[in-house]
Amino acid sequence: MQAVMTPEEVTKLLDAVFPQMHAGGRAYSIDGITDGQAVVRLTATDVHLRPGGTVSGPSMMTLADYAAYVVILAHIGPEALAVTTNLNINFLRKPGPGDLLGSCRLLKLGKRLAVVECGIAGEGEDDLVAHATATYSLPPR
Amino acid sequence: MQAVMTPEEVTKLLDAVFPQMHAGGRAYSIDGITDGQAVVRLTATDVHLRPGGTVSGPSMMTLADYAAYVVILAHIGPEALAVTTNLNINFLRKPGPGDLLGSCRLLKLGKRLAVVECGIAGEGEDDLVAHATATYSLPPR
Amino acid sequence: MQAVMTPEEVTKLLDAVFPQMHAGGRAYSIDGITDGQAVVRLTATDVHLRPGGTVSGPSMMTLADYAAYVVILAHIGPEALAVTTNLNINFLRKPGPGDLLGSCRLLKLGKRLAVVECGIAGEGEDDLVAHATATYSLPPR
Amino acid sequence: MQAVMTPEEVTKLLDAVFPQMHAGGRAYSIDGITDGQAVVRLTATDVHLRPGGTVSGPSMMTLADYAAYVVILAHIGPEALAVTTNLNINFLRKPGPGDLLGSCRLLKLGKRLAVVECGIAGEGEDDLVAHATATYSLPPR
C-alpha cells in the first residue's frame, strides 16, 4: 500500500471536515506518514485531561479514530471520505504526562472497507496505554 | 440489580471526576436511572458537531462511555470509581438533528468487572444511530 | 424489517454452506424467526464441552456467528450470502448445563453491511452468559 | 515479560483443559513461544473447512482464543487458568489453502487482566486473513 498524500495535505483536508477537533486548541497533529502507516500526536490541553492531569478515555478514543482517518485518507486520496463503522479499543495502562502518539497501520484497504490497527503510547515509551482496531466504510472510488 | 444513587447524586459525582465533559457547555445530562438501566442525553453544542450539523463519531463514543459510567456508579455507589477497560462501538446510521439519547443497561455487575450495553438513538426515534458494549474494571468494594 | 424465509428454508440453505457445523452431531437448530429477530439453539455434544460439562467459549462464539447468519439470511433471502467482517463477544457468566439459546436482532440491514446483536442465555434463564455484536458484508442484491 | 513454560508443557496442560480442541484430529499445535509472544498453527481438517476448502470463521475465532491462552499460560505458569472475558476479531481476507499461523503478543499482563493481540495469516504470507484482540480475567496468583 502506497501513501498518496503528505501530512500537510491530509491536515488541510481534515481541518475542513473535522474542525471541532481543534476546540480548546490545536491538539492533534500528524507526526508522519509512510507506506501503510501514520503517526498522529495528541498534545493534551485542559479539555482532554481528567483531574490529576491524565488524558481521558474519550480523548484516546478520539485520537484512535482521527489517526485511523489520517492513514486511510493518506492512502486513498482526497476525493472520498471514509465513515467509521466499528471501533474497538482496549485501555491497557494509565497514561503518564506528556504527549501521546497514535501509531496506525492499515490491516486492509479494500474496495468497500478499510481496517486499521492503532497503538497509543506516551512519547518515548514502549508500553502501550491503549490499543484499537477500527473499520471504515469507503465510498466508491 | 438495584440503583443506589439518584441522577442528582451521580451528576454531582461525575462533575467532579469528569469536569472536561462540559467544555463548550453542559451538553450531557442524565434523563433517568432505574434498576439496571440509565438514560443519558447529549444536547450537542458546536464542539460536538461536524460540518452540516451531524453529531461526530467521537461525541457518540463519549456519550456511550459516559452513559455506561452513569449506570455503573448508580448501582455500586460513590465510594469506588470504575475504569473503562474495553469499549466496542458500531456506528449504524447517520444521526439527524436534535438530541441523542444513550440508553444503557447493565449486562453484568460482578466483583471485578461490569459490562454495559448502550443503544444511541435520536430522541423519539426507534432506529439506533449507534450501539456499544463496554467493560469496566471495578476496584474492590 | 420483514423476514422472507422460514426456519426450514434457512436450515436447508445453511446445511449446504456450513456442513461442518454438524460435526459431532446436529447441535445447532433454529428455534424461530420473526420480523427482525431469530433464536438459535445449541444442544451441546461432547465436542462443544469443556471438562465439567460447561459449553466452551469457541462454541458460544460459533453460536453467535451462526445465529447472526440465520437472522440475516432470513431477511435478505437465499440469493446472496453474507460474510462476517467483525465479531465482538463478551463472556459474562459461566454457562450452566442444558441448552443455550442465541437470541439475535438486526440492528441494521443496509445495502452493504448488516449489524446484528446476539444475547446468549441458558434456556429459561434471564441472565445472559454471553453477548455479541457482529457485522457482515453483504454482496450486491 | 518472560516466558516460564515450554511449548511441550503448555501443550500438555491445554490438552487436559481443552480436550475438545482435538475433535476431528489434532489440528492445533504450538509452533513456538518466546518472551511476550507465541505462534500457534492450525492444520485444518474437514471439521474446520467450508465447502471449497476455506477455513471457517469459527475455526479462526477458535485459533485466536486458543493462541491467546497459549501466550498467557506460557507467561503466568500452570497454577492458574485464565478465562476469556472479551474477544474482538476482524476478518480481513479469505484464507487460502494451507496451514494458518496465529501470532500472538501480550499487550498487557496485569494482576487481574491480560490483553492479547493476535494476527492470523497463511504460512509464508504477509497479509493477515484475520486480526483479533482479546481480554482474559486472571485468577489471583
Side-chain angles (χ1 to χ4, degrees):
Chain A
M1 283 175 281
Q2 192 176 33
V4 298
M5 291 178 76
T6 66
E8 294 70 31
E9 291 169 337
V10 176
T11 298
K12 199 168 163 186
L13 177 57
L14 288 182
D15 279 358
V17 292
F18 293 125
Q20 80 284 357
M21 293 296 298
H22 305 301
R26 180 171 284 275
Y28 299 89
S29 57
I30 300 174
D31 253 39
I33 293 173
T34 54
D35 286 342
Q37 306 192 35
V39 180
V40 175
R41 173 183 297 262
L42 169 59
T43 303
T45 70
D46 283 349
V47 300
H48 304 102
L49 298 176
R50 292 196 51 184
T54 314
V55 175
S56 70
S59 295
M60 286 188 275
M61 292 190 277
T62 301
L63 173 60
D65 189 41
Y66 187 72
Y69 254 102
V70 167
V71 78
I72 292 171
L73 282 187
H75 289 78
I76 63 175
E79 291 81 18
L81 208 55
V83 177
T84 317
T85 55
N86 171 274
L87 190 143
N88 183 74
I89 184 164
N90 286 301
F91 295 101
L92 305 171
R93 298 173 178 81
K94 186 171 159 177
D99 288 1
L100 292 183
L101 297 179
S103 302
C104 290
R105 64 167 176 147
L106 275 162
L107 297 180
K108 170 180 173 169
L109 185 62
K111 284 189 210 172
R112 307 181 354 167
L113 292 177
V115 184
V116 178
E117 174 200 14
C118 186
I120 296 175
E123 186 167 26
E125 304 279 333
D126 290 326
D127 284 341
L128 297 181
V129 298
H131 182 275
T133 51
T135 301
Y136 298 78
S137 177
L138 307 175
R141 66 193 190 283
Chain B
M1 283 176 281
Q2 192 175 33
V4 298
M5 291 178 76
T6 66
E8 293 70 32
E9 290 168 337
V10 176
T11 299
K12 197 168 164 186
L13 176 57
L14 289 182
D15 279 359
V17 292
F18 294 124
Q20 81 281 359
M21 294 296 297
H22 304 302
R26 180 170 284 275
Y28 299 90
S29 56
I30 301 175
D31 253 37
I33 294 172
T34 55
D35 286 342
Q37 305 191 33
V39 179
V40 174
R41 173 183 296 264
L42 169 57
T43 305
T45 70
D46 283 351
V47 301
H48 304 102
L49 298 176
R50 292 195 51 183
T54 313
V55 175
S56 71
S59 295
M60 286 188 275
M61 291 190 278
T62 301
L63 173 61
D65 189 40
Y66 187 72
Y69 254 102
V70 168
V71 78
I72 291 171
L73 282 187
H75 289 78
I76 63 174
E79 290 81 19
L81 207 55
V83 177
T84 317
T85 54
N86 171 274
L87 191 143
N88 182 75
I89 184 163
N90 286 300
F91 296 101
L92 305 170
R93 299 172 178 81
K94 185 170 159 177
D99 287 0
L100 292 183
L101 297 180
S103 302
C104 289
R105 62 166 176 148
L106 274 162
L107 297 181
K108 170 179 173 169
L109 185 62
K111 282 189 211 172
R112 306 180 356 167
L113 293 178
V115 183
V116 178
E117 176 201 12
C118 187
I120 295 176
E123 187 167 26
E125 304 279 333
D126 290 325
D127 285 339
L128 297 181
V129 298
H131 181 275
T133 51
T135 301
Y136 299 78
S137 177
L138 307 176
R141 66 192 192 283
Chain C
M1 281 175 282
Q2 192 176 32
V4 298
M5 292 179 75
T6 66
E8 294 69 32
E9 290 168 337
V10 175
T11 298
K12 199 167 164 188
L13 176 58
L14 289 182
D15 279 358
V17 292
F18 293 124
Q20 80 283 358
M21 294 296 298
H22 305 302
R26 179 170 284 276
Y28 299 90
S29 58
I30 301 174
D31 252 38
I33 293 172
T34 54
D35 286 341
Q37 305 191 36
V39 179
V40 175
R41 173 183 299 262
L42 169 58
T43 304
T45 70
D46 283 350
V47 301
H48 304 102
L49 298 177
R50 292 195 52 183
T54 313
V55 175
S56 71
S59 295
M60 286 188 276
M61 291 190 279
T62 302
L63 174 60
D65 189 42
Y66 186 72
Y69 254 104
V70 168
V71 77
I72 290 171
L73 282 186
H75 290 77
I76 64 175
E79 291 82 18
L81 208 55
V83 177
T84 318
T85 55
N86 172 273
L87 191 144
N88 182 74
I89 185 164
N90 287 300
F91 296 100
L92 305 171
R93 298 172 179 82
K94 185 171 158 177
D99 286 0
L100 292 183
L101 297 180
S103 301
C104 289
R105 64 167 176 149
L106 275 162
L107 296 181
K108 170 180 174 169
L109 186 62
K111 281 188 211 173
R112 308 182 351 170
L113 293 177
V115 184
V116 178
E117 175 200 13
C118 187
I120 296 176
E123 186 166 27
E125 303 280 332
D126 290 326
D127 284 341
L128 297 180
V129 298
H131 182 274
T133 50
T135 302
Y136 299 78
S137 177
L138 307 175
R141 67 191 189 285
Chain D
M1 283 175 281
Q2 192 176 33
V4 299
M5 292 178 75
T6 66
E8 294 70 31
E9 291 168 335
V10 176
T11 300
K12 198 166 165 189
L13 177 56
L14 288 182
D15 278 358
V17 292
F18 293 124
Q20 80 282 357
M21 294 295 298
H22 305 302
R26 180 170 284 275
Y28 299 89
S29 57
I30 301 174
D31 253 37
I33 293 172
T34 54
D35 286 342
Q37 304 191 34
V39 179
V40 174
R41 172 184 298 264
L42 169 58
T43 305
T45 70
D46 282 352
V47 300
H48 304 102
L49 298 177
R50 291 195 52 183
T54 314
V55 175
S56 71
S59 295
M60 286 189 275
M61 293 191 278
T62 301
L63 173 60
D65 189 41
Y66 186 71
Y69 254 104
V70 168
V71 77
I72 291 171
L73 281 187
H75 290 78
I76 63 175
E79 291 80 20
L81 208 55
V83 177
T84 318
T85 54
N86 171 273
L87 191 143
N88 182 74
I89 184 164
N90 287 300
F91 296 101
L92 305 170
R93 298 172 178 82
K94 184 170 159 178
D99 286 1
L100 292 183
L101 297 179
S103 302
C104 290
R105 63 167 176 148
L106 275 162
L107 297 180
K108 169 179 174 170
L109 185 62
K111 282 188 210 173
R112 307 181 354 168
L113 292 178
V115 183
V116 177
E117 175 199 13
C118 186
I120 296 175
E123 187 166 26
E125 304 280 332
D126 290 326
D127 284 341
L128 297 180
V129 297
H131 181 274
T133 51
T135 302
Y136 299 78
S137 175
L138 307 175
R141 64 193 192 283

